[in-house]
Amino acid sequence: MSTGMIGEQSGGIALPALGCLELRTHPLRGRGVFTQSPIIKGTLVHISPVLLFDHAEYSEHGKHTKLDHYTYCWQGGFALALGLGSMFNHEPFGRENIGFTRDMGAGLIRYTALRDIAAGEELCICYGPNVWFDMATDVPSDQGHSDSQQPQTAEDLLQCFDIV
């Protein structure tokens, strides 16, 4: 029986965890990931397995739900990052403190510190150049992942994401 997880047939995958991470509520952004301890640049912060939705399933169901605000573009469709992966809030390119690498083959997303991060800081990723919410308030709009909101070129997409 398939669970929709990619790479599930290939034996165990270690998922190291930093014990200093916690979910907190930000007054404008809602829940987000924060650190209780300093994190050194280059540290692997989190690994999220993903649940994959092909284009047809996502178009028919996923984009009409709140899942639309938590998915990543993925080869063949969209992926929902499990664990903390869907809880990282957005900062524009160059201001994010966490980078991520999508490992298509293993069905994982790895999150790494892009700079030294102080205790108490929120860990944020860049969602890409075309976000679906008002940046002034970080409030989601009802547009989700519409075609017009997706990066227009491969170069746009690669600005914020590494793909393995």
Side-chain angles (χ1 to χ4, degrees):
M1 178 177 157
S2 176
T3 61
M5 299 274 298
I6 324 172
E8 62 190 51
Q9 295 84 14
S10 65
I13 298 172
L15 301 173
L18 291 180
C20 63
L21 303 182
E22 65 182 6
L23 285 177
R24 291 188 201 161
T25 301
H26 184 280
L28 295 176
R29 302 180 203 222
R31 289 191 299 175
V33 181
F34 291 77
T35 180
Q36 298 173 337
S37 303
I39 299 174
I40 298 169
K41 177 182 178 177
T43 299
L44 178 63
V45 172
H46 186 68
I47 298 176
S48 291
V50 300
L51 183 62
L52 182 64
F53 301 92
D54 63 35
H55 286 290
E57 181 179 20
Y58 199 78
S59 293
E60 189 173 330
H61 302 291
K63 76 177 191 176
H64 304 289
T65 71
K66 288 184 180 184
L67 286 177
D68 194 43
H69 299 292
Y70 297 93
T71 55
Y72 290 72
C73 293
W74 203 266
Q75 186 175 30
F78 291 89
L80 177 66
L82 304 175
L84 295 176
S86 291
M87 301 310 300
F88 292 106
N89 283 320
H90 170 73
E91 279 290 340
F93 182 70
R95 290 188 13 209
E96 74 276 29
N97 55 13
I98 299 292
F100 65 90
T101 303
R102 296 177 296 167
D103 185 336
M104 303 287 182
L108 301 171
I109 303 174
R110 291 179 179 85
Y111 300 89
T112 306
L114 297 175
R115 61 169 173 79
D116 289 346
I117 302 170
E121 269 193 80
E122 182 174 14
L123 306 183
C124 294
I125 63 174
C126 175
Y127 292 0
N130 300 307
V131 294
W132 55 96
F133 49 84
D134 181 355
M135 287 294 296
T137 62
D138 289 325
V139 176
S141 74
D142 60 356
Q143 294 178 1
H145 286 293
S146 69
D147 291 338
S148 65
Q149 297 299 313
Q150 294 304 312
Q152 300 301 307
T153 67
E155 186 175 312
D156 289 343
L157 183 63
L158 294 174
Q159 276 186 344
C160 295
F161 312 121
D162 288 327
I163 302 172
V164 174

